Amino acid sequence: MKHGLVLEGGGMRGLFSMGILDVWMEQGDIAFDGMVGVSAGAAFGCNFKSGQIGRGIRYNVRYAADWHYKSYRSWLLTGDIFGAEFCYKTLPEELDVFDKEAFAANPMEFYAAVTNLETGRAMFKRLHDCGESDMMWIRASASLPIVSKIVKIGPYKLLDGGIADSIPLHFMEGRGYDRNIVILTQPAGFVKEKNSMLPLIRVALRKYPKAVEAMENRHLMYNRETAYVAERAAAGAALVLQPDAPLAIDNLEKREEELMRVYNHGREVGERTLAQVRAFLARE
């Protein structure tokens, strides 16, 4: 029996997931054989593998108002609304140091989901040490269309993993993880609508018709995936944790109280479902 964890993205909604993960780390007895993170799920989820309690909320509060971290100014000056140099080098190497040794020592497999622009399909990269190469894959996983530069790694041209696979439960099951906890950042009953930014996306990604097609159909893919998650939960093969109501937070949110609101709601859900999580992981 292999236990897996699936982390949906969602920009600053990912602080909800980080709240749950911090509660689990504080308990010390909740572990998984493997994990996959999409976009913010990858960017925040790495702290779970490295065992750094509180790091995800700490740096988001501390640097929320720094334009180098996230801002329209960063987008205009660098091409990335989340500053790549700041987010994936300065922050983890100097300002709030990421524990690469602890990450590498943790035997849990960790995959980051990205979208291959030329195929329009998802790719999954196993991360080993969160060194420079791994950070590039995390950056690609969290690079939103239009407001991020295309990330080039080897022969691949990549953007946000959620374009092609927002909730990769199928992927984890295909890797042999037969009992999975899925953390969603939207409440029960959420139905994704067609992206209102499609005209701009068609222009921005005009060289990549397969990626444009994936964006045009993303709402259909997402709704199929949430339906599949519900189906697997009904069968007892998955446990779903999600917010009680829409989190309603902007990706460029700078107010500490709003960031803490989303994070603390995650903590609330994490604390009240501890017995349920333990029972799910203990079942054979």
Side-chain angles (χ1 to χ4, degrees):
M1 183 73 68
K2 291 176 67 176
H3 297 113
L5 175 62
V6 179
L7 300 179
E8 182 187 6
M12 287 298 107
R13 296 200 311 272
L15 290 175
F16 167 82
S17 305
M18 198 68 250
I20 294 175
L21 298 179
D22 276 352
V23 168
W24 288 352
M25 286 191 281
E26 290 164 2
Q27 295 298 308
D29 65 336
I30 296 173
F32 298 83
D33 300 298
M35 171 172 66
V36 61
V38 181
S39 193
F44 291 153
C46 60
N47 296 295
F48 184 57
K49 183 168 163 63
S50 65
Q52 291 178 271
I53 301 170
R55 180 175 180 269
I57 185 61
R58 182 174 62 242
Y59 72 72
N60 270 283
V61 168
R62 185 173 296 168
Y63 300 107
D66 190 323
W67 74 265
H68 297 89
Y69 179 28
K70 55 177 182 177
S71 65
Y72 288 115
R73 182 179 177 185
S74 174
W75 181 30
L76 291 172
L77 294 179
T78 72
D80 288 297
I81 203 162
F82 283 84
E85 181 74 13
F86 186 87
C87 291
Y88 302 105
K89 188 171 183 180
T90 306
L91 180 56
E93 293 183 6
E94 301 174 19
L95 299 178
D96 199 321
V97 178
F98 184 76
D99 193 338
K100 298 177 185 178
E101 292 184 3
F103 183 96
N106 186 335
M108 177 180 65
E109 295 182 353
F110 182 28
Y111 298 89
V114 300
T115 297
N116 183 326
L117 295 184
E118 292 177 325
T119 66
R121 299 176 66 86
M123 295 173 57
F124 298 89
K125 174 65 174 179
R126 184 175 176 185
L127 307 182
H128 295 282
D129 58 9
C130 264
E132 185 176 349
S133 176
D134 280 0
M135 282 295 181
M136 285 293 289
W137 288 93
I138 293 176
R139 175 186 164 190
S141 183
S143 290
L144 301 168
I146 299 177
V147 294
S148 304
K149 291 189 293 188
I150 293 169
V151 179
K152 299 177 182 178
I153 304 177
Y156 304 116
K157 297 176 182 178
L158 310 167
L159 279 178
D160 193 284
I163 295 171
D165 197 341
S166 296
I167 312 168
L169 178 56
H170 274 295
F171 167 77
M172 290 299 279
E173 291 180 337
R175 298 287 302 182
Y177 293 93
D178 37 21
R179 192 175 295 279
N180 293 280
I181 292 182
V182 181
I183 300 182
L184 302 179
T185 60
Q186 296 285 11
F190 174 78
V191 176
K192 185 174 284 295
E193 303 290 340
K194 199 161 190 173
N195 195 321
S196 62
M197 300 293 287
L198 275 175
L200 289 176
I201 289 169
R202 291 187 184 105
V203 173
L205 298 180
R206 60 190 177 278
K207 295 181 181 179
Y208 308 101
K210 294 291 186 182
V212 171
E213 182 181 358
M215 284 298 303
E216 290 173 338
N217 295 318
R218 188 186 175 207
H219 63 300
L220 303 176
M221 172 272 293
Y222 184 91
N223 295 332
R224 283 195 302 268
E225 290 191 332
T226 54
Y228 182 71
V229 168
E231 176 186 319
R232 297 302 287 156
L239 175 65
V240 183
L241 304 182
Q242 58 196 135
D244 298 333
L247 294 172
I249 186 168
D250 188 87
N251 282 344
L252 297 182
E253 181 59 68
K254 301 182 186 305
R255 292 170 294 175
E256 178 177 350
E257 62 271 22
E258 280 299 288
L259 299 170
M260 291 302 302
R261 172 183 64 82
V262 173
Y263 171 76
N264 284 330
H265 184 45
R267 290 192 61 90
E268 292 167 9
V269 171
E271 288 166 356
R272 74 170 183 246
T273 57
L274 276 172
Q276 189 179 7
V277 166
R278 288 190 174 109
F280 178 82
L281 295 176
R283 287 207 318 266
E284 295 296 335

